[in-house]
Amino acid sequence: MNAEPIVTVEKLHKWFGLLHVLQGVSLSVMPREVVVMIGRSGSGKSTFLRCLNFLEQPSAGTIAIDGLSVTATPQQQPKRQQITALRLRTGMVFQEFNLFPHMTAIQNVIEGLITVKKISKDQAIPIGEKYLEKVGLLDKRDVHPIRLSGGQKQRVAIARALAMEPKVMLFDEPTSALDPELIGEVLDVMKDLAHEGMTMVVVSHEMGFTSEVADRVLFMDGGNFVEEGPPQKIFANPSDPRTRQFLERVL
């Protein structure tokens, strides 16, 4: 591992009105590390993830990804160019697939390459095909989302994020909208990415996946990171009673 973290978050706060959702949390992620955040709904996990690429505007704090540091304060929000540059370093996969229904799989995957990276369509198509093949869906390249299963849609969404060649992949409960029999095909793609050394920050309820793939597990409660450690330690012997109580419910 490089000595330098690829993601650094310092004193991140997020208020929604009077609700203090993120209470000054900090985190460093090393290159190739897989960090999985667990915790009950409403604990701030998804908000934290969305603040990393400014889909949610942080109220205060500093976020640095791959050498680019962006600071938000209550008085001053960062410039649009900074936010765009930060987003180009991250790939985001959501609970809902957010595919364009009027576009085929390949069109969905290459849309960002054409509109954001200004790559010509001719150059973008081979890149799109490469990543559709990576998620096992090259045979669906000309199919519209309505004719894909939930698992296939989510794999297209992963291919779309990967096609932008991000430094860090962010996954916000990527299997929570899927039928149980389709979850495995999405987790398999994520496991492959982890084994290939992709840096990943994941919000997940999939404890089996977490114990197999995570280098580090963070338990979040009430807008704070309450406990962190390797999955063996967190699952077998959590030190905080809140972590223990949560795991008793889900394991």
Side-chain angles (χ1 to χ4, degrees), residues 115-172:
T115 57
V116 180
K117 285 197 165 179
K118 306 290 187 242
I119 292 174
S120 74
K121 187 175 178 184
D122 288 348
Q123 287 175 296
I125 284 174
I127 299 171
E129 288 176 340
K130 169 182 156 184
Y131 286 104
L132 279 177
E133 185 166 21
K134 189 173 187 60
V135 300
L137 288 175
L138 188 55
D139 60 325
K140 304 288 185 190
R141 81 186 283 288
D142 299 316
V143 174
H144 285 82
I146 196 167
R147 296 181 49 218
L148 298 173
S149 71
Q152 289 169 334
K153 286 180 199 169
Q154 193 61 295
R155 282 150 63 200
V156 171
I158 293 172
R160 175 181 59 187
L162 290 173
M164 300 295 283
E165 307 200 318
K167 301 293 186 180
V168 181
M169 284 288 286
L170 310 175
F171 291 90
D172 186 9

Short mmCIF file of all heavy atoms in Angstrom, two decimals, residues 115-172:
data_model
loop_
_atom_site.label_atom_id
_atom_site.label_comp_id
_atom_site.label_asym_id
_atom_site.label_seq_id
_atom_site.Cartn_x
_atom_site.Cartn_y
_atom_site.Cartn_z
N THR A 115 -20.56 13.14 -22.65
CA THR A 115 -21.02 14.46 -22.19
C THR A 115 -20.04 15.11 -21.21
O THR A 115 -19.85 16.33 -21.23
CB THR A 115 -22.40 14.37 -21.53
OG1 THR A 115 -22.33 13.44 -20.44
CG2 THR A 115 -23.46 13.93 -22.51
N VAL A 116 -19.41 14.31 -20.34
CA VAL A 116 -18.54 14.88 -19.31
C VAL A 116 -17.08 14.91 -19.76
O VAL A 116 -16.40 15.92 -19.66
CB VAL A 116 -18.67 14.09 -17.98
CG1 VAL A 116 -17.77 14.71 -16.91
CG2 VAL A 116 -20.12 14.09 -17.50
N LYS A 117 -16.61 13.77 -20.29
CA LYS A 117 -15.20 13.69 -20.70
C LYS A 117 -14.98 14.14 -22.14
O LYS A 117 -13.84 14.21 -22.60
CB LYS A 117 -14.68 12.25 -20.52
CG LYS A 117 -14.43 11.89 -19.05
CD LYS A 117 -13.55 10.66 -18.93
CE LYS A 117 -13.00 10.50 -17.52
NZ LYS A 117 -12.16 9.29 -17.40
N LYS A 118 -16.08 14.41 -22.85
CA LYS A 118 -16.01 14.94 -24.22
C LYS A 118 -15.25 13.98 -25.17
O LYS A 118 -14.52 14.42 -26.06
CB LYS A 118 -15.34 16.32 -24.26
CG LYS A 118 -15.98 17.34 -23.32
CD LYS A 118 -17.37 17.75 -23.79
CE LYS A 118 -17.94 18.88 -22.96
NZ LYS A 118 -19.17 18.54 -22.27
N ILE A 119 -15.43 12.68 -24.93
CA ILE A 119 -14.84 11.68 -25.82
C ILE A 119 -15.82 11.44 -26.97
O ILE A 119 -17.03 11.44 -26.77
CB ILE A 119 -14.58 10.37 -25.03
CG1 ILE A 119 -13.47 10.60 -23.99
CG2 ILE A 119 -14.20 9.21 -25.94
CD1 ILE A 119 -13.25 9.43 -23.05
N SER A 120 -15.30 11.23 -28.17
CA SER A 120 -16.20 10.99 -29.31
C SER A 120 -16.91 9.66 -29.13
O SER A 120 -16.41 8.75 -28.45
CB SER A 120 -15.40 10.98 -30.62
OG SER A 120 -14.66 9.76 -30.72
N LYS A 121 -18.07 9.55 -29.76
CA LYS A 121 -18.85 8.32 -29.64
C LYS A 121 -18.05 7.11 -30.14
O LYS A 121 -18.07 6.03 -29.52
CB LYS A 121 -20.16 8.45 -30.42
CG LYS A 121 -21.10 7.30 -30.20
CD LYS A 121 -22.44 7.52 -30.90
CE LYS A 121 -23.34 6.31 -30.68
NZ LYS A 121 -24.60 6.43 -31.41
N ASP A 122 -17.32 7.29 -31.22
CA ASP A 122 -16.52 6.19 -31.78
C ASP A 122 -15.46 5.70 -30.78
O ASP A 122 -15.17 4.51 -30.72
CB ASP A 122 -15.82 6.63 -33.08
CG ASP A 122 -16.81 6.76 -34.23
OD1 ASP A 122 -17.96 6.29 -34.07
OD2 ASP A 122 -16.45 7.33 -35.27
N GLN A 123 -14.88 6.62 -30.05
CA GLN A 123 -13.89 6.24 -29.05
C GLN A 123 -14.55 5.66 -27.79
O GLN A 123 -13.97 4.80 -27.12
CB GLN A 123 -13.05 7.46 -28.63
CG GLN A 123 -12.06 7.93 -29.67
CD GLN A 123 -11.38 9.21 -29.19
OE1 GLN A 123 -12.01 10.25 -29.01
NE2 GLN A 123 -10.07 9.13 -28.96
N ALA A 124 -15.75 6.16 -27.49
CA ALA A 124 -16.42 5.76 -26.25
C ALA A 124 -16.96 4.33 -26.32
O ALA A 124 -16.96 3.61 -25.32
CB ALA A 124 -17.55 6.74 -25.93
N ILE A 125 -17.42 3.91 -27.51
CA ILE A 125 -18.09 2.61 -27.62
C ILE A 125 -17.18 1.44 -27.19
O ILE A 125 -17.61 0.60 -26.40
CB ILE A 125 -18.69 2.42 -29.03
CG1 ILE A 125 -19.96 3.27 -29.14
CG2 ILE A 125 -19.01 0.94 -29.31
CD1 ILE A 125 -20.59 3.31 -30.50
N PRO A 126 -15.91 1.36 -27.67
CA PRO A 126 -15.07 0.26 -27.20
C PRO A 126 -14.84 0.26 -25.69
O PRO A 126 -14.75 -0.79 -25.07
CB PRO A 126 -13.74 0.47 -27.94
CG PRO A 126 -14.00 1.45 -29.02
CD PRO A 126 -15.24 2.20 -28.68
N ILE A 127 -14.78 1.46 -25.10
CA ILE A 127 -14.62 1.55 -23.64
C ILE A 127 -15.88 1.01 -22.97
O ILE A 127 -15.81 0.20 -22.03
CB ILE A 127 -14.37 3.01 -23.20
CG1 ILE A 127 -13.08 3.55 -23.84
CG2 ILE A 127 -14.29 3.12 -21.67
CD1 ILE A 127 -12.86 5.05 -23.65
N GLY A 128 -17.04 1.44 -23.47
CA GLY A 128 -18.30 0.94 -22.92
C GLY A 128 -18.43 -0.57 -23.04
O GLY A 128 -18.87 -1.25 -22.11
N GLU A 129 -18.04 -1.10 -24.19
CA GLU A 129 -18.13 -2.55 -24.40
C GLU A 129 -17.20 -3.30 -23.45
O GLU A 129 -17.55 -4.36 -22.92
CB GLU A 129 -17.79 -2.88 -25.86
CG GLU A 129 -18.89 -2.46 -26.82
CD GLU A 129 -18.54 -2.68 -28.28
OE1 GLU A 129 -17.33 -2.80 -28.60
OE2 GLU A 129 -19.47 -2.73 -29.09
N LYS A 130 -16.02 -2.73 -23.23
CA LYS A 130 -15.05 -3.35 -22.30
C LYS A 130 -15.67 -3.51 -20.91
O LYS A 130 -15.55 -4.57 -20.27
CB LYS A 130 -13.79 -2.48 -22.24
CG LYS A 130 -12.80 -2.85 -21.15
CD LYS A 130 -11.62 -1.88 -21.17
CE LYS A 130 -10.95 -1.82 -19.82
NZ LYS A 130 -9.86 -0.82 -19.78
N TYR A 131 -16.36 -2.47 -20.45
CA TYR A 131 -16.90 -2.52 -19.08
C TYR A 131 -18.21 -3.31 -19.01
O TYR A 131 -18.49 -3.94 -17.98
CB TYR A 131 -17.01 -1.12 -18.49
CG TYR A 131 -15.64 -0.59 -18.13
CD1 TYR A 131 -15.01 0.37 -18.92
CD2 TYR A 131 -14.96 -1.10 -17.04
CE1 TYR A 131 -13.73 0.81 -18.62
CE2 TYR A 131 -13.67 -0.66 -16.73
CZ TYR A 131 -13.07 0.29 -17.52
OH TYR A 131 -11.80 0.71 -17.21
N LEU A 132 -18.99 -3.33 -20.08
CA LEU A 132 -20.14 -4.24 -20.11
C LEU A 132 -19.67 -5.68 -20.06
O LEU A 132 -20.27 -6.53 -19.38
CB LEU A 132 -20.99 -4.01 -21.37
CG LEU A 132 -21.97 -2.83 -21.32
CD1 LEU A 132 -22.68 -2.70 -22.65
CD2 LEU A 132 -23.01 -3.01 -20.20
N GLU A 133 -18.58 -5.97 -20.77
CA GLU A 133 -18.03 -7.32 -20.72
C GLU A 133 -17.54 -7.64 -19.31
O GLU A 133 -17.73 -8.76 -18.81
CB GLU A 133 -16.88 -7.47 -21.72
CG GLU A 133 -16.35 -8.88 -21.81
CD GLU A 133 -15.46 -9.10 -23.03
OE1 GLU A 133 -14.91 -8.13 -23.59
OE2 GLU A 133 -15.32 -10.27 -23.41
N LYS A 134 -16.95 -6.66 -18.67
CA LYS A 134 -16.42 -6.86 -17.31
C LYS A 134 -17.52 -7.26 -16.33
O LYS A 134 -17.29 -8.07 -15.43
CB LYS A 134 -15.75 -5.56 -16.83
CG LYS A 134 -14.99 -5.68 -15.53
CD LYS A 134 -14.24 -4.39 -15.25
CE LYS A 134 -13.33 -4.53 -14.06
NZ LYS A 134 -12.30 -5.56 -14.23
N VAL A 135 -18.72 -6.71 -16.50
CA VAL A 135 -19.82 -7.06 -15.60
C VAL A 135 -20.69 -8.18 -16.17
O VAL A 135 -21.77 -8.47 -15.66
CB VAL A 135 -20.69 -5.82 -15.25
CG1 VAL A 135 -19.85 -4.76 -14.57
CG2 VAL A 135 -21.40 -5.26 -16.48
N GLY A 136 -20.22 -8.80 -17.26
CA GLY A 136 -20.91 -9.96 -17.82
C GLY A 136 -22.15 -9.65 -18.62
O GLY A 136 -23.06 -10.48 -18.72
N LEU A 137 -22.20 -8.47 -19.24
CA LEU A 137 -23.43 -8.07 -19.94
C LEU A 137 -23.19 -7.56 -21.35
O LEU A 137 -24.03 -6.84 -21.90
CB LEU A 137 -24.16 -6.98 -19.13
CG LEU A 137 -24.83 -7.45 -17.85
CD1 LEU A 137 -25.41 -6.26 -17.10
CD2 LEU A 137 -25.94 -8.46 -18.13
N LEU A 138 -22.10 -7.96 -21.97
CA LEU A 138 -21.86 -7.49 -23.34
C LEU A 138 -22.97 -7.95 -24.29
O LEU A 138 -23.34 -7.23 -25.22
CB LEU A 138 -20.50 -7.97 -23.84
CG LEU A 138 -20.04 -7.39 -25.19
CD1 LEU A 138 -20.04 -5.86 -25.18
CD2 LEU A 138 -18.66 -7.92 -25.56
N ASP A 139 -23.56 -9.11 -24.00
CA ASP A 139 -24.66 -9.61 -24.85
C ASP A 139 -25.93 -8.78 -24.73
O ASP A 139 -26.85 -8.92 -25.53
CB ASP A 139 -24.96 -11.08 -24.52
CG ASP A 139 -25.39 -11.28 -23.07
OD1 ASP A 139 -24.87 -10.57 -22.18
OD2 ASP A 139 -26.25 -12.14 -22.82
N LYS A 140 -25.98 -7.88 -23.72
CA LYS A 140 -27.16 -7.02 -23.53
C LYS A 140 -26.90 -5.58 -23.98
O LYS A 140 -27.63 -4.67 -23.64
CB LYS A 140 -27.58 -7.00 -22.05
CG LYS A 140 -27.86 -8.37 -21.46
CD LYS A 140 -29.15 -8.96 -21.97
CE LYS A 140 -29.46 -10.27 -21.26
NZ LYS A 140 -30.59 -10.98 -21.89
N ARG A 141 -25.83 -5.38 -24.76
CA ARG A 141 -25.39 -4.01 -25.06
C ARG A 141 -26.49 -3.18 -25.71
O ARG A 141 -26.57 -1.97 -25.47
CB ARG A 141 -24.12 -4.02 -25.93
CG ARG A 141 -24.34 -4.23 -27.41
CD ARG A 141 -23.04 -4.38 -28.20
NE ARG A 141 -22.32 -3.14 -28.47
CZ ARG A 141 -22.70 -2.19 -29.32
NH1 ARG A 141 -23.86 -2.29 -29.98
NH2 ARG A 141 -21.96 -1.13 -29.53
N ASP A 142 -27.36 -3.78 -26.54
CA ASP A 142 -28.37 -3.02 -27.28
C ASP A 142 -29.78 -3.16 -26.69
O ASP A 142 -30.77 -2.86 -27.35
CB ASP A 142 -28.37 -3.45 -28.75
CG ASP A 142 -27.01 -3.20 -29.40
OD1 ASP A 142 -26.44 -2.11 -29.17
OD2 ASP A 142 -26.51 -4.09 -30.11
N VAL A 143 -29.83 -3.61 -25.45
CA VAL A 143 -31.12 -3.82 -24.78
C VAL A 143 -31.45 -2.61 -23.91
O VAL A 143 -30.57 -2.03 -23.28
CB VAL A 143 -31.06 -5.11 -23.92
CG1 VAL A 143 -32.32 -5.29 -23.11
CG2 VAL A 143 -30.83 -6.33 -24.83
N HIS A 144 -32.73 -2.22 -23.89
CA HIS A 144 -33.17 -1.11 -23.03
C HIS A 144 -33.41 -1.61 -21.61
O HIS A 144 -33.74 -2.79 -21.40
CB HIS A 144 -34.45 -0.47 -23.60
CG HIS A 144 -34.20 0.38 -24.80
ND1 HIS A 144 -34.08 -0.14 -26.07
CD2 HIS A 144 -34.02 1.73 -24.93
CE1 HIS A 144 -33.85 0.85 -26.93
NE2 HIS A 144 -33.80 1.99 -26.26
N PRO A 145 -33.28 -0.71 -20.61
CA PRO A 145 -33.41 -1.12 -19.21
C PRO A 145 -34.71 -1.86 -18.89
O PRO A 145 -34.71 -2.76 -18.04
CB PRO A 145 -33.33 0.21 -18.44
CG PRO A 145 -32.47 1.06 -19.30
CD PRO A 145 -32.82 0.69 -20.72
N ILE A 146 -35.80 -1.52 -19.57
CA ILE A 146 -37.08 -2.15 -19.25
C ILE A 146 -37.03 -3.67 -19.46
O ILE A 146 -37.79 -4.42 -18.85
CB ILE A 146 -38.23 -1.50 -20.05
CG1 ILE A 146 -39.58 -1.87 -19.44
CG2 ILE A 146 -38.15 -1.87 -21.53
CD1 ILE A 146 -40.74 -1.05 -19.94
N ARG A 147 -36.10 -4.12 -20.31
CA ARG A 147 -35.99 -5.55 -20.61
C ARG A 147 -34.86 -6.23 -19.83
O ARG A 147 -34.52 -7.37 -20.10
CB ARG A 147 -35.80 -5.75 -22.12
CG ARG A 147 -37.03 -5.28 -22.91
CD ARG A 147 -36.89 -5.49 -24.40
NE ARG A 147 -36.44 -6.83 -24.74
CZ ARG A 147 -35.58 -7.10 -25.73
NH1 ARG A 147 -35.07 -6.12 -26.46
NH2 ARG A 147 -35.22 -8.34 -25.97
N LEU A 148 -34.32 -5.52 -18.83
CA LEU A 148 -33.27 -6.08 -17.98
C LEU A 148 -33.82 -6.36 -16.59
O LEU A 148 -34.70 -5.65 -16.10
CB LEU A 148 -32.10 -5.10 -17.86
CG LEU A 148 -31.36 -4.73 -19.15
CD1 LEU A 148 -30.35 -3.63 -18.87
CD2 LEU A 148 -30.67 -5.96 -19.76
N SER A 149 -33.29 -7.39 -15.95
CA SER A 149 -33.65 -7.65 -14.54
C SER A 149 -33.01 -6.58 -13.66
O SER A 149 -32.11 -5.84 -14.09
CB SER A 149 -33.13 -9.02 -14.11
OG SER A 149 -31.72 -9.00 -14.00
N GLY A 150 -33.44 -6.53 -12.40
CA GLY A 150 -32.84 -5.57 -11.46
C GLY A 150 -31.35 -5.77 -11.31
O GLY A 150 -30.58 -4.80 -11.29
N GLY A 151 -30.92 -7.02 -11.24
CA GLY A 151 -29.49 -7.29 -11.12
C GLY A 151 -28.71 -6.86 -12.33
O GLY A 151 -27.60 -6.33 -12.23
N GLN A 152 -29.31 -7.07 -13.52
CA GLN A 152 -28.65 -6.64 -14.75
C GLN A 152 -28.57 -5.11 -14.81
O GLN A 152 -27.54 -4.55 -15.20
CB GLN A 152 -29.38 -7.19 -15.97
CG GLN A 152 -29.21 -8.70 -16.14
CD GLN A 152 -30.14 -9.29 -17.18
OE1 GLN A 152 -31.22 -8.74 -17.46
NE2 GLN A 152 -29.75 -10.40 -17.77
N LYS A 153 -29.64 -4.44 -14.41
CA LYS A 153 -29.62 -2.97 -14.40
C LYS A 153 -28.52 -2.45 -13.49
O LYS A 153 -27.80 -1.51 -13.84
CB LYS A 153 -30.97 -2.42 -13.92
CG LYS A 153 -32.10 -2.54 -14.91
CD LYS A 153 -33.38 -1.98 -14.31
CE LYS A 153 -34.59 -2.50 -15.06
NZ LYS A 153 -35.84 -2.18 -14.35
N GLN A 154 -28.40 -3.07 -12.32
CA GLN A 154 -27.37 -2.59 -11.39
C GLN A 154 -25.97 -2.86 -11.94
O GLN A 154 -25.05 -2.05 -11.75
CB GLN A 154 -27.56 -3.24 -10.01
CG GLN A 154 -26.76 -2.61 -8.89
CD GLN A 154 -27.09 -1.15 -8.65
OE1 GLN A 154 -26.85 -0.29 -9.53
NE2 GLN A 154 -27.65 -0.84 -7.50
N ARG A 155 -25.80 -3.96 -12.65
CA ARG A 155 -24.49 -4.24 -13.25
C ARG A 155 -24.19 -3.25 -14.38
O ARG A 155 -23.03 -2.84 -14.54
CB ARG A 155 -24.43 -5.69 -13.74
CG ARG A 155 -24.21 -6.67 -12.60
CD ARG A 155 -24.84 -8.03 -12.85
NE ARG A 155 -24.26 -8.70 -13.99
CZ ARG A 155 -24.86 -9.70 -14.66
NH1 ARG A 155 -26.05 -10.13 -14.30
NH2 ARG A 155 -24.26 -10.26 -15.69
N VAL A 156 -25.20 -2.85 -15.14
CA VAL A 156 -24.99 -1.78 -16.15
C VAL A 156 -24.58 -0.49 -15.44
O VAL A 156 -23.69 0.23 -15.88
CB VAL A 156 -26.26 -1.56 -17.00
CG1 VAL A 156 -26.11 -0.31 -17.89
CG2 VAL A 156 -26.55 -2.78 -17.88
N ALA A 157 -25.23 -0.21 -14.30
CA ALA A 157 -24.90 1.01 -13.54
C ALA A 157 -23.45 0.96 -13.06
O ALA A 157 -22.74 1.97 -13.06
CB ALA A 157 -25.86 1.18 -12.37
N ILE A 158 -22.99 -0.22 -12.65
CA ILE A 158 -21.59 -0.37 -12.23
C ILE A 158 -20.66 -0.16 -13.42
O ILE A 158 -19.64 0.55 -13.33
CB ILE A 158 -21.35 -1.75 -11.58
CG1 ILE A 158 -22.13 -1.85 -10.25
CG2 ILE A 158 -19.86 -1.98 -11.32
CD1 ILE A 158 -22.12 -3.24 -9.63
N ALA A 159 -21.02 -0.74 -14.58
CA ALA A 159 -20.21 -0.56 -15.79
C ALA A 159 -20.13 0.92 -16.17
O ALA A 159 -19.07 1.42 -16.56
CB ALA A 159 -20.80 -1.37 -16.94
N ARG A 160 -21.25 1.62 -16.02
CA ARG A 160 -21.29 3.06 -16.34
C ARG A 160 -20.32 3.83 -15.43
O ARG A 160 -19.59 4.71 -15.89
CB ARG A 160 -22.72 3.59 -16.14
CG ARG A 160 -22.87 5.08 -16.33
CD ARG A 160 -24.30 5.54 -16.10
NE ARG A 160 -24.76 5.20 -14.76
CZ ARG A 160 -26.02 5.38 -14.35
NH1 ARG A 160 -26.93 5.85 -15.18
NH2 ARG A 160 -26.38 5.05 -13.12
N ALA A 161 -20.31 3.49 -14.14
CA ALA A 161 -19.39 4.17 -13.21
C ALA A 161 -17.94 3.83 -13.53
O ALA A 161 -17.07 4.70 -13.54
CB ALA A 161 -19.73 3.78 -11.77
N LEU A 162 -17.67 2.56 -13.84
CA LEU A 162 -16.30 2.13 -14.11
C LEU A 162 -15.76 2.72 -15.41
O LEU A 162 -14.55 2.97 -15.53
CB LEU A 162 -16.23 0.60 -14.21
CG LEU A 162 -16.42 -0.18 -12.91
CD1 LEU A 162 -16.52 -1.67 -13.21
CD2 LEU A 162 -15.28 0.09 -11.93
N ALA A 163 -16.65 2.95 -16.38
CA ALA A 163 -16.21 3.47 -17.68
C ALA A 163 -15.54 4.84 -17.55
O ALA A 163 -14.69 5.20 -18.38
CB ALA A 163 -17.40 3.56 -18.64
N MET A 164 -15.88 5.57 -16.50
CA MET A 164 -15.26 6.88 -16.27
C MET A 164 -13.87 6.74 -15.64
O MET A 164 -13.19 7.73 -15.40
CB MET A 164 -16.16 7.73 -15.37
CG MET A 164 -17.56 7.98 -15.95
SD MET A 164 -17.53 8.99 -17.45
CE MET A 164 -17.28 10.62 -16.74
N GLU A 165 -13.48 5.50 -15.36
CA GLU A 165 -12.16 5.18 -14.79
C GLU A 165 -11.87 5.99 -13.53
O GLU A 165 -10.86 6.70 -13.44
CB GLU A 165 -11.08 5.31 -15.87
CG GLU A 165 -11.48 4.48 -17.08
CD GLU A 165 -10.35 4.10 -18.02
OE1 GLU A 165 -9.52 4.97 -18.30
OE2 GLU A 165 -10.34 2.94 -18.48
N PRO A 166 -12.75 5.85 -12.53
CA PRO A 166 -12.56 6.59 -11.28
C PRO A 166 -11.44 5.98 -10.44
O PRO A 166 -11.05 4.83 -10.64
CB PRO A 166 -13.91 6.40 -10.57
CG PRO A 166 -14.39 5.07 -11.05
CD PRO A 166 -13.94 4.97 -12.49
N LYS A 167 -10.95 6.77 -9.51
CA LYS A 167 -9.94 6.29 -8.56
C LYS A 167 -10.58 5.55 -7.40
O LYS A 167 -9.95 4.69 -6.77
CB LYS A 167 -9.13 7.47 -8.00
CG LYS A 167 -8.41 8.28 -9.05
CD LYS A 167 -7.32 7.47 -9.71
CE LYS A 167 -6.51 8.34 -10.67
NZ LYS A 167 -5.44 7.57 -11.31
N VAL A 168 -11.81 5.92 -7.08
CA VAL A 168 -12.52 5.35 -5.93
C VAL A 168 -13.95 5.04 -6.35
O VAL A 168 -14.59 5.87 -7.02
CB VAL A 168 -12.54 6.37 -4.75
CG1 VAL A 168 -13.26 5.78 -3.54
CG2 VAL A 168 -11.14 6.80 -4.38
N MET A 169 -14.45 3.87 -5.96
CA MET A 169 -15.85 3.53 -6.22
C MET A 169 -16.66 3.65 -4.92
O MET A 169 -16.25 3.14 -3.87
CB MET A 169 -15.96 2.11 -6.78
CG MET A 169 -15.57 1.99 -8.23
SD MET A 169 -16.78 2.72 -9.39
CE MET A 169 -18.11 1.51 -9.34
N LEU A 170 -17.80 4.33 -5.02
CA LEU A 170 -18.71 4.51 -3.89
C LEU A 170 -19.98 3.71 -4.18
O LEU A 170 -20.59 3.87 -5.23
CB LEU A 170 -19.06 5.99 -3.72
CG LEU A 170 -17.88 6.98 -3.68
CD1 LEU A 170 -18.39 8.41 -3.64
CD2 LEU A 170 -16.96 6.70 -2.50
N PHE A 171 -20.35 2.85 -3.25
CA PHE A 171 -21.56 2.03 -3.41
C PHE A 171 -22.52 2.32 -2.28
O PHE A 171 -22.20 2.09 -1.11
CB PHE A 171 -21.21 0.54 -3.39
CG PHE A 171 -20.41 0.05 -4.57
CD1 PHE A 171 -19.03 0.08 -4.55
CD2 PHE A 171 -21.05 -0.47 -5.68
CE1 PHE A 171 -18.29 -0.39 -5.63
CE2 PHE A 171 -20.33 -0.94 -6.77
CZ PHE A 171 -18.95 -0.90 -6.75
N ASP A 172 -23.72 2.83 -2.61
CA ASP A 172 -24.71 3.15 -1.59
C ASP A 172 -25.80 2.07 -1.58
O ASP A 172 -26.75 2.13 -2.35
CB ASP A 172 -25.32 4.53 -1.87
CG ASP A 172 -26.24 4.97 -0.75
OD1 ASP A 172 -26.28 4.30 0.30
OD2 ASP A 172 -26.93 6.00 -0.92
#
